[in-house]
Amino acid sequence: MTAWTRRHCVCTEVRNLDYEEAAAALKIKVDWLRDNIGKLPHIKFGQQPAVFCHCDLRLILAMHTAMPAQALEVLNAPAEEAAPTPAETSTVRSLATSRPAKGRARRAVAQT
Ligand SMILES: [Zn+2]
């Protein structure tokens, strides 16, 4: 296994899951994981049973996501239709015109 095969992994610490833990996290039967291990991202140390990091699980989720055409249309819609932005604008305006806080709250605001 070369390093480039783990490029989907963004783990900063090792917190691998065994078959049972991975199946529990995915809410699937452990037998399905075992039966399909050859087609799934996983980590293998010689003869040890395979283990999974959470990035492996995310990739497995992506591989098995069912996306109906109508859902894909919504996802691919222009940004203005899919995610209107007025809320963002009004939030900025309300922060700009808001009155300064007093006491401890004021110091907390100043630090951010
Ligand atoms: Zn990872």
Side-chain angles (χ1 to χ4, degrees), residues 6 9-11 53-56:
R6 299 291 309 162
C9 180
V10 294
C11 291
C53 80
H54 289 272
C55 312
D56 294 328

Side-chain angles (χ1 to χ4, degrees), residues 18-101:
D18 61 22
Y19 272 105
E20 286 73 20
E21 293 166 331
L26 294 168
K27 304 290 186 201
I28 60 174
K29 290 183 165 62
V30 70
D31 287 346
W32 185 89
L33 268 186
R34 292 186 195 283
D35 293 346
N36 293 282
I37 192 61
K39 296 178 278 185
L40 300 172
H42 63 278
I43 304 159
K44 189 87 170 120
F45 296 97
Q47 297 303 308
Q48 300 285 318
V51 292
F52 308 82
C53 80
H54 289 272
C55 312
D56 294 328
L57 300 193
R58 283 196 298 276
L59 194 49
I60 292 170
L61 288 176
M63 290 167 63
H64 293 87
T65 296
M67 188 63 67
Q70 193 176 358
L72 207 53
E73 277 178 34
V74 172
L75 285 174
N76 292 333
E80 307 86 58
E81 293 176 31
T85 53
E88 190 178 316
T89 306
S90 68
T91 301
V92 170
R93 186 178 302 124
S94 69
L95 285 176
T97 60
S98 65
R99 299 168 62 182

